[in-house]
Amino acid sequence: MRDLVIMPAMAQRRESLNMGEFAEDAIIVEETSAPKRVNHFIEANTQEVTLQHLQQDCIIPSFASMEETISHQSFIGVVVDAAKDYFHGEQFDIPEIRISHPINGRIPSALGKKASELTDEEKTLFYQRMCFCFEIPSIVHDEYGNRLALSIGGVRAYNEINLYSKKSVEKFKIFIGFRNRVCSNLMLTTDGLQDKIEVLNVQELYAAALNLFHAYNPSKDLHLLRTLGQMSISTSEFCQIIGRMRLYQALTPNQQKRLPRLLLGDSQINAACRAFVSDVNFKSTGDSITGWQLLNLLNGSVKSSYIDNFLERNLNCTEFVQGIQRAKLGDSEYAWFLG
């Protein structure tokens, strides 16, 4: 089955969402059921928290001028509101929130106290880095036996701004793309990622989210994923690709500049190799794999990345597999990784 499954409200928005050929084969269903989530869209170096925890247990960092920053919970709320306004009438899952790098502190009256003597009321906490993702389960697509759900999320890292100065622009990243429900892998393309959003307030953040949703073309991504599944990569070609990816790490900066950008390091390459022989969903079962499998092997490997560079690596996986696809058709840009 490769039909796009949409709710009735989605049927009225086919043209505005530009689903193209996928909307022609749409099936109208009364409800969708989200399977129990086992995997996370990002895993290592992070912990899952609730929105309530961010709202009730965490302080909001301020600039040196005592002007407050945009909190993590405000960021999540603004993107969710923008999504609900743009995709009006659709279903929305509760955001999955992952955090890292907790910053512990204490209130002024607790200065000088031993750490063991601090009460909960005297402790302060916020997280330097946070990412979140939520699905729109009423906009789904089946591809190669995998259910893909349109997903939206964002990343915020306080270490990217100078809190020791007066209030200045704050940096955010917002994405929209399809998420593989089998493994929770995100599959991002350039059109679905805004990685350099700089705003002063939540109103500008809301506008940036709407602009991203408006510019995004889901049918283009679905077409890409389908064509990648039609590309065959032999085991020897996979080994050649992996070998070149390892060699890339040893090249000088000038040599790397003459080649396409590759953001995956040894740990990600090792993880992709292990998955090639052992991953339940995407391992090789013969003498070749498809581009679809390669994309998911690489996407799965970057889920161990830190929050602040996870999205860029995820996008780089898509760029890389697309480049291999072009190289197999005779394009020279990524030919080095095959030759």
Side-chain angles (χ1 to χ4, degrees):
M1 177 179 179
R2 292 184 179 176
D3 294 323
L4 183 68
V5 182
I6 55 179
M7 293 294 288
M10 185 61 200
Q12 300 172 4
R13 291 179 52 81
R14 292 178 185 172
E15 184 175 349
S16 61
L17 286 181
N18 193 20
M19 290 296 187
E21 61 177 291
F22 301 97
E24 296 298 324
D25 298 326
I27 295 176
I28 307 302
V29 297
E30 292 301 322
E31 61 181 23
T32 58
S33 58
K36 184 178 180 181
R37 187 171 295 147
V38 178
N39 299 313
H40 301 287
F41 69 99
I42 184 173
E43 294 175 341
N45 310 310
T46 65
Q47 294 180 324
E48 186 170 9
V49 297
T50 64
L51 184 61
Q52 183 181 28
H53 171 67
L54 294 178
Q55 294 169 334
Q56 298 181 0
D57 303 327
C58 299
I59 64 170
I60 302 174
S62 299
F63 290 95
S65 59
M66 294 307 296
E67 295 178 273
E68 67 181 37
T69 61
I70 299 173
S71 67
H72 291 330
Q73 56 265 35
S74 294
F75 176 32
I76 297 170
V78 165
V79 176
V80 170
D81 287 344
K84 289 183 176 180
D85 289 342
Y86 188 80
F87 298 97
H88 182 69
E90 301 304 330
Q91 296 179 344
F92 295 86
D93 278 351
I94 296 174
E96 179 186 352
I97 305 170
R98 311 286 298 184
I99 51 82
S100 71
H101 296 75
I103 308 296
N104 296 304
R106 57 177 69 193
I107 62 176
S109 61
L111 292 176
K113 266 192 173 184
K114 294 181 179 179
S116 59
E117 298 174 348
L118 291 173
T119 65
D120 290 341
E121 291 75 20
E122 293 172 327
K123 299 175 183 178
T124 63
L125 170 69
F126 74 92
Y127 299 102
Q128 187 186 74
R129 305 175 194 183
M130 184 278 302
C131 60
F132 70 97
C133 180
F134 60 91
E135 295 181 358
I136 307 179
S138 53
I139 306 179
V140 295
H141 175 74
D142 281 347
E143 196 65 70
Y144 302 107
N146 293 185
R147 178 60 60 91
L148 310 180
L150 189 64
S151 301
I152 295 170
V155 165
R156 202 286 176 76
Y158 277 117
N159 61 298
E160 294 182 342
I161 60 176
N162 183 9
L163 293 176
Y164 300 102
S165 66
K166 64 180 182 179
K167 183 174 177 62
S168 58
V169 293
E170 301 183 50
K171 299 179 180 181
F172 299 86
K173 302 172 186 178
I174 302 176
F175 65 85
I176 179 171
F178 284 93
R179 179 177 178 180
N180 193 335
R181 285 189 166 186
V182 168
C183 54
S184 291
N185 285 349
L186 283 172
M187 289 163 283
L188 300 182
T189 59
T190 303
D191 293 342
L193 175 62
Q194 284 282 353
D195 63 347
K196 295 181 181 179
I197 296 175
E198 296 184 344
V199 299
L200 289 171
N201 51 56
V202 292
Q203 290 77 18
E204 294 178 356
L205 193 55
Y206 176 88
L210 282 184
N211 289 337
L212 176 62
F213 303 155
H214 180 72
Y216 178 67
N217 183 351
S219 65
K220 183 179 177 181
D221 276 7
L222 292 174
H223 177 72
L224 167 64
L225 298 176
R226 178 170 294 180
T227 58
L228 290 181
Q230 298 167 357
M231 175 179 64
S232 176
I233 300 172
S234 68
T235 299
S236 61
E237 286 177 325
F238 176 80
C239 293
Q240 177 70 32
I241 292 170
I242 290 297
R244 290 289 188 168
M245 292 174 76
R246 291 188 184 281
L247 179 58
Y248 181 93
Q249 313 302 319
L251 299 178
T252 66
N254 285 335
Q255 290 173 320
Q256 290 182 356
K257 287 180 181 179
R258 293 194 287 268
L259 295 170
R261 183 181 66 159
L262 180 65
L263 300 181
L264 279 64
D266 285 340
S267 60
Q268 289 79 44
I269 297 171
N270 290 338
C273 289
R274 291 192 297 269
F276 178 79
V277 297
S278 62
D279 186 273
V280 174
N281 302 297
F282 307 111
K283 66 181 180 180
S284 173
T285 56
D287 58 0
S288 67
I289 60 172
T290 65
W292 162 261
Q293 289 172 285
L294 177 61
L295 176 63
N296 277 280
L297 293 176
L298 296 181
N299 280 342
S301 74
V302 302
K303 289 164 70 173
S304 61
S305 304
Y306 282 115
I307 286 177
D308 51 345
N309 58 26
F310 163 68
L311 293 179
E312 288 83 351
R313 282 181 172 174
N314 191 285
L315 171 61
N316 189 235
C317 291
T318 304
E319 294 173 334
F320 184 82
V321 179
Q322 282 183 286
I324 296 299
Q325 182 185 43
R326 295 195 301 270
K328 287 178 67 67
L329 295 174
D331 186 83
S332 61
E333 184 181 8
Y334 280 79
W336 182 82
F337 289 95
L338 279 174

